[in-house]
Amino acid sequence: MIKNILNKLPRKQAKLAENRDGGSSNFSSNTSTTSRNSSATGSKSGNSNATVLSGISSSQNSGLNNGNKRHDLWNIKVNANAGPVPFEALPSFKDVPNAEKQNLFIKKLSLCCVVFDFTDPTKNLKEKDIKRQTLVELLDYVTSANGKFNETVVQEIVRMVSVNLFRPLSTQSRENKVVEGFDLEEEEPLMEPSWPHLQIVYEFFLRFVTSAETDAKLAKRYVDHSFVLRLLDLFDSEDHREREYLKTVLHRIYGKFMVHRPFIRKTINNIFFRCIFETEKHNGIAELLEILGSIINGFALPLKEEHKLFLVRALIPLHKPKCIPMYHQQLTYCITQFVEKDCKLADTVIRGLLKYWPITNSSKEVMFLGELEEVLEATQPPEFQRCMVPLFRQIGRSLSSSHFQVAERALFLWNNDHIENMIKQNRKVILPIIFPALEKNARNHWNQAVQSLTLNVRKIFADVDPELFEECLLSFQEDEAQEGETKTKREATWKRLEDIATMKATSNNRTSG
């Protein structure tokens, strides 16, 4: 049975699906950043090399009121003076009567509150194996549960999960790492050494949250805002396996605990603010955007003003950080979801893209052009007309780029039938703006593919409106001639100045001689 359970542990994200939000609560526009409470949950004890957690026992907990139970449940103090840990395997569930299984379950949860040091793979091998087998038994128990979890059990479950998951992230070890000529972004991500235990804890908690035997009204007392906040802090983990589990777990919490939805959105909002305006780096932005994509998809219409503010204040500015390649695909999906929900937002989105348009980063500009095509695909003619002048000024600059991938990607916009039709309908405004770029590309661009695509676009305009095309061509030729005259005059002026300077220098030499 243990082998079967281990084989079933998912290595990828569970499919995000049900319980999407109807947009009932406010997004926060507060720019305060998420508090970081990832302090260590334990310290080394005696010769056991394990972390001993002297939390409140189950029997003691039963006598406390709800408020005290919920207070700092996972901020458990460490018994620094404890001796060696008596760490022994407990009986299997199948070896005890049904009446004793719940008590055994709680004992096993307490046993798994011992956190081992995985930085040294040679330490505590026996104890680590016992804990891992116990975690698998707990997983099996939660999966096959056929009765509601009572308050004591819920409290102990959340306590065990908190003790194991909430820890300093390994990324913090890089903050003071300075190696000359070494690019940390090129380095392989750090993998969590304790993952053999963490994976089972994540799977255990996921099945607890999704279990029909978990009462949301009861569990929300312990899976509270503090718990959710610290769970969201873990999204900065460099281990992609952990972020995949976090994504699935948080989405299930969002679906099951409706009371937490506004807080979750607000906290994600603050994480984005921190990335945009402070750190410009966060490992979990892509996963958080995936969750938001599902949430946005479930927003009720008409969109509330709070959600529109979230788009303007958080999502669009996410185009600013240098690490955008890590999450651009997910960001594009969220942005287009908003435009599809409310086509009037297209103008806002396009102007936002233009605000953050890259000037010297060609690969980033290619990404922006790809996103622009997806947004324009969902844009209707009235919104297109509002922003087409600044938009095609930028597209004209992209068409003129000496980087062939940028120019090529801009020309690909005409391969989209919807975009091409809108351009044709507004050709009298658009063609005069981009005609110089098209003409220069057709004559002088060094890349043959760009020249070929440019000729195709010129032909589209020439076929749909020959008169307008000829007007633009004549205007371009006149501007070109005028520019030539200006250039000739400028060169003549510089030549005269040089001659005057030479004459004065010669005269000064004769005088001094």
Side-chain angles (χ1 to χ4, degrees):
M1 182 63 176
I2 290 172
K3 291 182 178 179
N4 291 337
I5 293 296
L6 287 174
N7 290 333
K8 291 180 182 179
L9 291 178
R11 297 184 179 274
K12 294 186 177 180
Q13 161 200 16
K15 189 176 182 181
L16 302 181
E18 69 273 6
N19 295 325
R20 289 174 175 165
D21 180 26
S24 58
S25 301
N26 298 344
F27 279 104
S28 170
S29 59
N30 185 359
T31 57
S32 62
T33 56
T34 307
S35 62
R36 294 282 170 174
N37 254 346
S38 301
S39 58
T41 53
S43 60
K44 291 185 179 179
S45 170
N47 298 322
S48 66
N49 295 309
T51 300
V52 185
L53 299 158
S54 58
I56 303 171
S57 68
S58 301
S59 59
Q60 289 172 317
N61 285 336
S62 61
L64 298 175
N65 60 43
N66 291 339
N68 290 332
K69 288 181 182 179
R70 295 196 299 272
H71 181 64
D72 285 342
L73 182 61
W74 29 87
N75 293 332
I76 302 171
K77 295 182 179 178
V78 176
N79 184 356
N81 299 319
V85 181
F87 200 89
E88 297 180 359
L90 293 169
S92 174
F93 284 110
K94 64 183 178 181
D95 296 332
V96 298
N98 289 336
E100 295 296 324
K101 286 185 177 180
Q102 180 172 299
N103 288 334
L104 180 60
F105 180 64
I106 293 174
K107 289 180 181 179
K108 287 179 181 287
L109 287 170
S110 296
L111 184 72
C112 290
C113 284
V114 178
V115 180
F116 294 98
D117 178 12
F118 279 82
T119 57
D120 185 348
T122 63
K123 291 181 180 178
N124 305 105
L125 295 179
K126 177 182 176 182
E127 289 84 356
K128 289 175 183 176
D129 187 61
I130 291 173
K131 179 180 176 181
R132 188 169 188 273
Q133 295 301 324
T134 305
L135 285 169
V136 172
E137 292 178 25
L138 293 173
L139 176 62
D140 187 27
Y141 183 90
V142 168
T143 304
S144 58
N146 55 6
K148 294 290 183 182
F149 298 117
N150 63 34
E151 187 165 4
T152 301
V153 169
V154 171
Q155 180 178 0
E156 290 301 307
I157 287 174
V158 175
R159 172 174 171 260
M160 187 276 287
V161 170
S162 302
V163 163
N164 282 275
L165 298 187
F166 301 152
R167 67 203 188 281
L169 292 176
S170 55
T171 54
Q172 295 176 358
S173 65
R174 293 191 181 194
E175 290 181 358
N176 297 322
K177 183 177 180 181
V178 179
V179 182
E180 187 174 354
F182 188 75
D183 187 359
L184 289 178
E185 291 188 3
E186 296 293 329
E187 187 181 6
E188 288 294 320
L190 295 174
M191 306 303 280
E192 178 56 54
S194 60
W195 185 246
H197 286 186
L198 284 181
Q199 181 184 12
I200 308 175
V201 175
Y202 273 115
E203 183 65 23
F204 168 82
F205 185 61
L206 176 61
R207 298 194 187 185
F208 166 72
V209 171
T210 57
S211 174
E213 308 303 333
T214 301
D215 183 359
K217 291 183 178 179
L218 173 62
K220 73 179 181 182
R221 302 176 188 173
Y222 303 99
V223 183
D224 59 7
H225 286 183
S226 179
F227 182 94
V228 171
L229 183 64
R230 300 190 72 180
L231 195 71
L232 280 159
D233 281 343
L234 295 175
F235 272 89
D236 203 18
S237 169
E238 286 197 36
D239 195 324
H240 67 91
R241 302 169 300 180
E242 181 167 21
R243 297 198 305 270
E244 284 295 316
Y245 261 108
L246 283 164
K247 178 174 64 178
T248 305
V249 168
L250 184 65
H251 193 273
R252 298 302 184 187
I253 289 175
Y254 190 91
K256 191 167 190 112
F257 303 97
M258 294 184 66
V259 69
H260 292 337
R261 291 181 178 182
F263 179 78
I264 290 173
R265 293 198 301 268
K266 174 184 176 181
T267 307
I268 292 175
N269 194 18
N270 290 337
I271 290 173
F272 290 167
F273 285 154
R274 180 181 174 88
C275 176
I276 294 163
F277 301 111
E278 294 184 15
T279 64
E280 290 203 0
K281 181 72 168 67
H282 191 285
N283 292 307
I285 299 295
E287 287 78 13
L288 292 171
L289 286 170
E290 282 190 43
I291 296 171
L292 278 173
S294 180
I295 294 172
I296 295 166
N297 190 45
F299 280 165
L301 295 176
L303 288 175
K304 292 193 172 185
E305 192 63 27
E306 294 85 352
H307 303 325
K308 295 178 185 179
L309 286 174
F310 173 71
L311 168 68
V312 173
R313 295 180 178 178
L315 286 186
I316 292 177
L318 274 175
H319 291 86
K320 176 179 176 284
K322 295 178 181 178
C323 62
I324 186 174
M326 297 172 61
Y327 57 79
H328 183 256
Q329 182 181 354
Q330 293 83 356
L331 178 60
T332 299
Y333 177 77
C334 290
I335 295 282
T336 52
Q337 284 285 303
F338 268 103
V339 178
E340 289 174 2
K341 287 274 183 184
D342 185 352
C343 61
K344 293 181 180 179
L345 292 172
D347 177 49
T348 301
V349 168
I350 291 171
R351 290 180 185 274
L353 280 174
L354 296 177
K355 178 181 178 181
Y356 295 102
W357 200 273
I359 297 173
T360 59
N361 189 330
S362 298
S363 61
K364 191 174 178 180
E365 188 169 4
V366 171
M367 286 192 300
F368 271 53
L369 287 164
E371 180 179 355
L372 178 63
E373 180 175 353
E374 293 196 36
V375 172
L376 288 173
E377 177 72 34
T379 302
Q380 298 305 310
E383 285 67 44
F384 180 79
Q385 291 169 0
R386 291 193 186 99
C387 61
M388 62 184 175
V389 172
L391 171 61
F392 279 88
R393 283 176 182 159
Q394 178 56 59
I395 291 176
R397 289 190 286 271
S398 298
L399 290 171
S400 301
S401 174
S402 59
H403 194 293
F404 80 96
Q405 289 179 328
V406 174
E408 189 177 59
R409 191 65 189 82
L411 289 161
F412 280 160
L413 292 173
W414 275 264
N415 289 346
N416 186 297
D417 292 338
H418 178 68
I419 298 173
E420 183 184 342
N421 288 333
M422 290 194 297
I423 292 173
K424 287 178 179 178
Q425 292 167 11
N426 299 277
R427 59 187 178 275
K428 293 187 183 298
V429 175
I430 293 172
L431 184 57
I433 296 173
I434 64 171
F435 191 87
L438 293 174
E439 195 65 22
K440 290 175 183 176
N441 272 4
R443 294 181 186 180
N444 305 317
H445 203 284
W446 65 271
N447 185 270
Q448 188 61 44
V450 171
Q451 280 193 351
S452 178
L453 288 168
T454 301
L455 291 173
N456 291 339
V457 172
R458 288 175 82 255
K459 187 175 185 303
I460 291 173
F461 285 110
D463 291 344
V464 74
D465 196 335
E467 292 181 4
L468 177 63
F469 186 86
E470 286 300 322
E471 289 176 11
C472 291
L473 180 58
L474 289 172
S475 177
F476 173 76
Q477 291 171 346
E478 290 173 2
D479 292 342
E480 195 174 36
Q482 187 176 357
E483 186 179 333
E485 292 177 5
T486 303
K487 182 179 180 182
T488 302
K489 290 179 180 178
R490 187 184 304 115
E491 289 175 350
T493 301
W494 280 110
K495 183 69 170 63
R496 286 197 304 272
L497 290 172
E498 289 173 0
D499 291 343
I500 292 170
T502 302
M503 289 173 61
K504 285 188 175 182
T506 303
S507 175
N508 290 338
N509 288 336
R510 287 175 181 174
T511 302
S512 61

